[in-house]
PDB file of all heavy atoms in Angstrom:
ATOM      1  N   GLU Y 211      -2.056  18.794   8.371  1.00 96.00           N
ATOM      2  CA  GLU Y 211      -0.982  19.793   8.304  1.00 96.00           C
ATOM      3  C   GLU Y 211       0.400  19.191   8.792  1.00 96.00           C
ATOM      4  O   GLU Y 211       1.398  19.674   8.288  1.00 96.00           O
ATOM      5  CB  GLU Y 211      -1.446  20.885   9.303  1.00 96.00           C
ATOM      6  CG  GLU Y 211      -0.594  22.118   9.291  1.00 96.00           C
ATOM      7  CD  GLU Y 211      -0.574  22.951   7.947  1.00 96.00           C
ATOM      8  OE1 GLU Y 211      -1.659  22.717   7.300  1.00 96.00           O
ATOM      9  OE2 GLU Y 211       0.377  23.412   7.441  1.00 96.00           O
ATOM     10  N   PRO Y 212       0.364  18.309   9.702  1.00 96.00           N
ATOM     11  CA  PRO Y 212       1.762  17.839  10.158  1.00 96.00           C
ATOM     12  C   PRO Y 212       2.592  17.247   9.005  1.00 96.00           C
ATOM     13  O   PRO Y 212       3.791  17.196   9.057  1.00 96.00           O
ATOM     14  CB  PRO Y 212       1.442  16.696  11.172  1.00 96.00           C
ATOM     15  CG  PRO Y 212       0.081  17.132  11.792  1.00 96.00           C
ATOM     16  CD  PRO Y 212      -0.610  17.694  10.590  1.00 96.00           C
ATOM     17  N   TYR Y 213       1.973  16.714   7.882  1.00 97.00           N
ATOM     18  CA  TYR Y 213       2.841  16.240   6.777  1.00 97.00           C
ATOM     19  C   TYR Y 213       3.379  17.349   6.047  1.00 97.00           C
ATOM     20  O   TYR Y 213       4.344  17.054   5.341  1.00 97.00           O
ATOM     21  CB  TYR Y 213       1.817  15.414   5.923  1.00 97.00           C
ATOM     22  CG  TYR Y 213       1.342  14.157   6.429  1.00 97.00           C
ATOM     23  CD1 TYR Y 213       0.055  13.753   6.534  1.00 97.00           C
ATOM     24  CD2 TYR Y 213       2.243  13.186   6.927  1.00 97.00           C
ATOM     25  CE1 TYR Y 213      -0.377  12.578   7.039  1.00 97.00           C
ATOM     26  CE2 TYR Y 213       1.882  11.919   7.564  1.00 97.00           C
ATOM     27  CZ  TYR Y 213       0.540  11.648   7.498  1.00 97.00           C
ATOM     28  OH  TYR Y 213       0.108  10.479   8.040  1.00 97.00           O
ATOM     29  N   PHE Y 214       3.033  18.537   6.222  1.00 97.00           N
ATOM     30  CA  PHE Y 214       3.705  19.744   5.684  1.00 97.00           C
ATOM     31  C   PHE Y 214       4.790  20.207   6.640  1.00 97.00           C
ATOM     32  O   PHE Y 214       5.965  20.549   6.240  1.00 97.00           O
ATOM     33  CB  PHE Y 214       2.759  20.911   5.305  1.00 97.00           C
ATOM     34  CG  PHE Y 214       1.849  20.508   4.195  1.00 97.00           C
ATOM     35  CD1 PHE Y 214       0.593  19.895   4.465  1.00 97.00           C
ATOM     36  CD2 PHE Y 214       2.198  20.691   2.872  1.00 97.00           C
ATOM     37  CE1 PHE Y 214      -0.288  19.522   3.337  1.00 97.00           C
ATOM     38  CE2 PHE Y 214       1.374  20.406   1.809  1.00 97.00           C
ATOM     39  CZ  PHE Y 214       0.029  19.811   2.168  1.00 97.00           C
ATOM     40  N   THR Y 215       4.450  20.301   7.846  1.00 96.00           N
ATOM     41  CA  THR Y 215       5.434  20.875   8.817  1.00 96.00           C
ATOM     42  C   THR Y 215       6.641  19.986   8.992  1.00 96.00           C
ATOM     43  O   THR Y 215       7.753  20.529   9.300  1.00 96.00           O
ATOM     44  CB  THR Y 215       4.863  21.118  10.177  1.00 96.00           C
ATOM     45  OG1 THR Y 215       4.208  19.869  10.751  1.00 96.00           O
ATOM     46  CG2 THR Y 215       3.558  22.099  10.134  1.00 96.00           C
ATOM     47  N   ARG Y 216       6.518  18.612   8.938  1.00 97.00           N
ATOM     48  CA  ARG Y 216       7.721  17.815   9.159  1.00 97.00           C
ATOM     49  C   ARG Y 216       8.655  17.948   8.005  1.00 97.00           C
ATOM     50  O   ARG Y 216       9.885  17.655   8.207  1.00 97.00           O
ATOM     51  CB  ARG Y 216       7.179  16.349   9.268  1.00 97.00           C
ATOM     52  CG  ARG Y 216       6.754  15.732   8.025  1.00 97.00           C
ATOM     53  CD  ARG Y 216       6.362  14.222   8.174  1.00 97.00           C
ATOM     54  NE  ARG Y 216       6.045  13.583   6.973  1.00 97.00           N
ATOM     55  CZ  ARG Y 216       5.771  12.269   6.748  1.00 97.00           C
ATOM     56  NH1 ARG Y 216       5.893  11.571   7.925  1.00 97.00           N
ATOM     57  NH2 ARG Y 216       5.574  11.725   5.727  1.00 97.00           N
ATOM     58  N   ILE Y 217       8.329  18.377   6.852  1.00 97.00           N
ATOM     59  CA  ILE Y 217       9.285  18.721   5.829  1.00 97.00           C
ATOM     60  C   ILE Y 217       9.581  20.131   5.653  1.00 97.00           C
ATOM     61  O   ILE Y 217      10.238  20.505   4.617  1.00 97.00           O
ATOM     62  CB  ILE Y 217       8.844  18.085   4.498  1.00 97.00           C
ATOM     63  CG1 ILE Y 217       7.399  18.768   4.009  1.00 97.00           C
ATOM     64  CG2 ILE Y 217       8.680  16.573   4.502  1.00 97.00           C
ATOM     65  CD1 ILE Y 217       6.981  18.304   2.596  1.00 97.00           C
ATOM     66  N   GLY Y 218       9.177  21.001   6.646  1.00 96.00           N
ATOM     67  CA  GLY Y 218       9.570  22.323   6.665  1.00 96.00           C
ATOM     68  C   GLY Y 218       8.940  23.336   5.574  1.00 96.00           C
ATOM     69  O   GLY Y 218       9.504  24.284   5.228  1.00 96.00           O
ATOM     70  N   LEU Y 219       7.763  22.821   5.056  1.00 96.00           N
ATOM     71  CA  LEU Y 219       7.136  23.690   3.985  1.00 96.00           C
ATOM     72  C   LEU Y 219       5.775  24.076   4.396  1.00 96.00           C
ATOM     73  O   LEU Y 219       5.029  23.167   5.043  1.00 96.00           O
ATOM     74  CB  LEU Y 219       7.172  22.875   2.720  1.00 96.00           C
ATOM     75  CG  LEU Y 219       8.564  22.605   2.061  1.00 96.00           C
ATOM     76  CD1 LEU Y 219       8.380  21.607   0.939  1.00 96.00           C
ATOM     77  CD2 LEU Y 219       9.160  23.866   1.603  1.00 96.00           C
ATOM     78  N   PRO Y 220       5.264  25.183   3.995  1.00 91.00           N
ATOM     79  CA  PRO Y 220       3.901  25.616   4.274  1.00 91.00           C
ATOM     80  C   PRO Y 220       2.912  24.905   3.281  1.00 91.00           C
ATOM     81  O   PRO Y 220       3.448  24.550   2.130  1.00 91.00           O
ATOM     82  CB  PRO Y 220       3.985  27.143   4.070  1.00 91.00           C
ATOM     83  CG  PRO Y 220       4.994  27.308   3.042  1.00 91.00           C
ATOM     84  CD  PRO Y 220       6.039  26.313   3.344  1.00 91.00           C
ATOM     85  N   ARG Y 221       1.731  24.645   3.697  1.00 87.00           N
ATOM     86  CA  ARG Y 221       0.730  24.332   2.805  1.00 87.00           C
ATOM     87  C   ARG Y 221       0.356  25.489   1.816  1.00 87.00           C
ATOM     88  O   ARG Y 221       0.246  26.630   2.212  1.00 87.00           O
ATOM     89  CB  ARG Y 221      -0.512  23.842   3.501  1.00 87.00           C
ATOM     90  CG  ARG Y 221      -1.790  23.472   2.605  1.00 87.00           C
ATOM     91  CD  ARG Y 221      -3.073  23.443   3.432  1.00 87.00           C
ATOM     92  NE  ARG Y 221      -3.068  22.440   4.498  1.00 87.00           N
ATOM     93  CZ  ARG Y 221      -3.321  21.191   4.185  1.00 87.00           C
ATOM     94  NH1 ARG Y 221      -3.774  20.747   3.018  1.00 87.00           N
ATOM     95  NH2 ARG Y 221      -3.260  20.307   5.161  1.00 87.00           N
ATOM     96  N   ARG Y 222       0.242  25.184   0.554  1.00 78.00           N
ATOM     97  CA  ARG Y 222      -0.192  26.125  -0.362  1.00 78.00           C
ATOM     98  C   ARG Y 222      -0.920  25.625  -1.548  1.00 78.00           C
ATOM     99  O   ARG Y 222      -0.698  24.262  -1.788  1.00 78.00           O
ATOM    100  CB  ARG Y 222       1.036  26.994  -0.983  1.00 78.00           C
ATOM    101  CG  ARG Y 222       1.966  26.303  -1.832  1.00 78.00           C
ATOM    102  CD  ARG Y 222       3.063  27.122  -2.360  1.00 78.00           C
ATOM    103  NE  ARG Y 222       4.102  26.350  -3.206  1.00 78.00           N
ATOM    104  CZ  ARG Y 222       3.839  26.120  -4.409  1.00 78.00           C
ATOM    105  NH1 ARG Y 222       2.726  26.358  -5.032  1.00 78.00           N
ATOM    106  NH2 ARG Y 222       4.767  25.366  -5.157  1.00 78.00           N
ATOM    107  N   GLY Y 223      -1.676  26.252  -2.308  1.00 59.00           N
ATOM    108  CA  GLY Y 223      -2.331  25.623  -3.393  1.00 59.00           C
ATOM    109  C   GLY Y 223      -3.433  24.635  -2.909  1.00 59.00           C
ATOM    110  O   GLY Y 223      -4.229  25.011  -2.053  1.00 59.00           O
ATOM    111  N   GLY Y 224      -3.318  23.442  -3.326  1.00 49.00           N
ATOM    112  CA  GLY Y 224      -4.338  22.456  -2.948  1.00 49.00           C
ATOM    113  C   GLY Y 224      -5.334  22.050  -3.944  1.00 49.00           C
ATOM    114  O   GLY Y 224      -6.198  21.300  -3.715  1.00 49.00           O
ATOM    115  N   ASP Y 225      -5.163  22.684  -5.214  1.00 47.00           N
ATOM    116  CA  ASP Y 225      -6.057  22.236  -6.216  1.00 47.00           C
ATOM    117  C   ASP Y 225      -5.746  20.861  -6.877  1.00 47.00           C
ATOM    118  O   ASP Y 225      -4.584  20.398  -6.622  1.00 47.00           O
ATOM    119  CB  ASP Y 225      -5.980  23.307  -7.571  1.00 47.00           C
ATOM    120  CG  ASP Y 225      -6.395  24.665  -7.057  1.00 47.00           C
ATOM    121  OD1 ASP Y 225      -7.221  24.795  -6.041  1.00 47.00           O
ATOM    122  OD2 ASP Y 225      -5.914  25.608  -7.654  1.00 47.00           O
ATOM    123  N   ARG Y 226      -6.848  20.186  -7.215  1.00 44.00           N
ATOM    124  CA  ARG Y 226      -6.616  18.918  -7.856  1.00 44.00           C
ATOM    125  C   ARG Y 226      -5.820  19.045  -9.115  1.00 44.00           C
ATOM    126  O   ARG Y 226      -5.758  20.112  -9.731  1.00 44.00           O
ATOM    127  CB  ARG Y 226      -8.019  18.264  -8.184  1.00 44.00           C
ATOM    128  CG  ARG Y 226      -8.807  17.870  -6.994  1.00 44.00           C
ATOM    129  CD  ARG Y 226     -10.045  17.255  -7.549  1.00 44.00           C
ATOM    130  NE  ARG Y 226     -11.026  16.870  -6.322  1.00 44.00           N
ATOM    131  CZ  ARG Y 226     -10.802  15.758  -5.681  1.00 44.00           C
ATOM    132  NH1 ARG Y 226      -9.949  14.878  -6.085  1.00 44.00           N
ATOM    133  NH2 ARG Y 226     -11.747  15.475  -4.677  1.00 44.00           N
ATOM    134  N   PRO Y 227      -5.040  18.045  -9.443  1.00 42.00           N
ATOM    135  CA  PRO Y 227      -4.207  18.103 -10.749  1.00 42.00           C
ATOM    136  C   PRO Y 227      -5.292  18.103 -11.893  1.00 42.00           C
ATOM    137  O   PRO Y 227      -6.437  17.714 -11.714  1.00 42.00           O
ATOM    138  CB  PRO Y 227      -3.582  16.667 -10.706  1.00 42.00           C
ATOM    139  CG  PRO Y 227      -3.551  16.213  -9.395  1.00 42.00           C
ATOM    140  CD  PRO Y 227      -4.754  16.749  -8.622  1.00 42.00           C
ATOM    141  N   ALA Y 228      -4.891  18.605 -12.981  1.00 37.00           N
ATOM    142  CA  ALA Y 228      -5.553  18.719 -14.161  1.00 37.00           C
ATOM    143  C   ALA Y 228      -6.222  17.325 -14.504  1.00 37.00           C
ATOM    144  O   ALA Y 228      -5.579  16.331 -14.540  1.00 37.00           O
ATOM    145  CB  ALA Y 228      -4.839  19.136 -15.373  1.00 37.00           C
ATOM    146  N   GLY Y 229      -7.507  17.204 -14.724  1.00 35.00           N
ATOM    147  CA  GLY Y 229      -8.110  15.938 -15.091  1.00 35.00           C
ATOM    148  C   GLY Y 229      -8.785  15.355 -14.003  1.00 35.00           C
ATOM    149  O   GLY Y 229      -9.455  14.283 -14.039  1.00 35.00           O
ATOM    150  N   GLY Y 230      -8.710  15.945 -12.711  1.00 35.00           N
ATOM    151  CA  GLY Y 230      -9.405  15.346 -11.510  1.00 35.00           C
ATOM    152  C   GLY Y 230      -8.735  14.298 -10.990  1.00 35.00           C
ATOM    153  O   GLY Y 230      -7.446  14.146 -11.053  1.00 35.00           O
ATOM    154  N   ALA Y 231      -9.360  13.499 -10.193  1.00 35.00           N
ATOM    155  CA  ALA Y 231      -8.782  12.398  -9.334  1.00 35.00           C
ATOM    156  C   ALA Y 231      -8.013  11.429 -10.102  1.00 35.00           C
ATOM    157  O   ALA Y 231      -7.051  10.822  -9.600  1.00 35.00           O
ATOM    158  CB  ALA Y 231      -9.809  11.689  -8.454  1.00 35.00           C
ATOM    159  N   ASP Y 232      -8.469  11.257 -11.487  1.00 32.00           N
ATOM    160  CA  ASP Y 232      -7.586  10.257 -12.253  1.00 32.00           C
ATOM    161  C   ASP Y 232      -7.211  10.969 -13.552  1.00 32.00           C
ATOM    162  O   ASP Y 232      -7.201  10.342 -14.591  1.00 32.00           O
ATOM    163  CB  ASP Y 232      -8.582   9.014 -12.512  1.00 32.00           C
ATOM    164  CG  ASP Y 232      -7.819   7.823 -13.068  1.00 32.00           C
ATOM    165  OD1 ASP Y 232      -6.472   7.863 -12.750  1.00 32.00           O
ATOM    166  OD2 ASP Y 232      -8.254   7.077 -13.764  1.00 32.00           O
ATOM    167  N   GLY Y 233      -6.904  12.185 -13.469  1.00 32.00           N
ATOM    168  CA  GLY Y 233      -6.547  12.958 -14.706  1.00 32.00           C
ATOM    169  C   GLY Y 233      -5.210  12.629 -15.241  1.00 32.00           C
ATOM    170  O   GLY Y 233      -4.465  11.904 -14.586  1.00 32.00           O
ATOM    171  N   GLY Y 234      -4.959  13.191 -16.374  1.00 32.00           N
ATOM    172  CA  GLY Y 234      -3.632  13.018 -17.080  1.00 32.00           C
ATOM    173  C   GLY Y 234      -3.593  11.807 -17.862  1.00 32.00           C
ATOM    174  O   GLY Y 234      -4.434  10.835 -17.775  1.00 32.00           O
TER     175      GLY Y 234
END
Side-chain angles (χ1 to χ4, degrees):
E211 192 66 29
Y213 289 127
F214 293 92
T215 57
R216 70 179 187 170
I217 59 174
L219 292 173
R221 177 194 296 274
R222 65 177 179 81
D225 295 333
R226 291 180 183 273
D232 196 25

